Amino acid sequence: MSQRFHIRQSEHGGRQWLSVLVDAMEEASRPEIRKVPCDKQLLAAVEARLSRPAVAYPCYGSAFSFRN
């Protein structure tokens, strides 16, 4: 999980990220991969990241609204 996927938005961007997600899930579901124990530090880092509150305006987001 040390790889990071940077997918550019294109005309097929909506399908591309889904394809990468499906490929990753299929890879993770392989029996030989599931038998490998997960690093405790990695699990702690994921848990810490998921416990943080959601960001109101993630990267490239905007606070602009027509209601202003």
Side-chain angles (χ1 to χ4, degrees):
M1 299 292 306
S2 63
Q3 298 176 359
R4 292 192 180 242
F5 297 101
H6 297 285
I7 300 173
R8 294 181 184 195
Q9 282 290 41
S10 66
E11 59 189 50
H12 301 294
R15 292 185 189 152
Q16 188 176 11
W17 74 266
L18 183 57
S19 176
V20 170
L21 176 63
V22 169
D23 290 344
M25 292 176 72
E26 287 175 348
E27 175 72 17
S29 68
R30 291 181 24 220
E32 60 271 15
I33 298 296
R34 292 184 60 142
K35 289 179 185 177
V36 176
C38 193
D39 181 23
K40 291 184 180 192
Q41 289 180 330
L42 177 63
L43 288 176
V46 169
E47 183 179 3
R49 174 67 178 112
L50 292 176
S51 67
R52 287 191 260 168
V55 178
Y57 305 106
C59 40
Y60 308 112
S62 173
F64 176 79
S65 171
F66 285 111
R67 290 183 273 165
N68 289 346

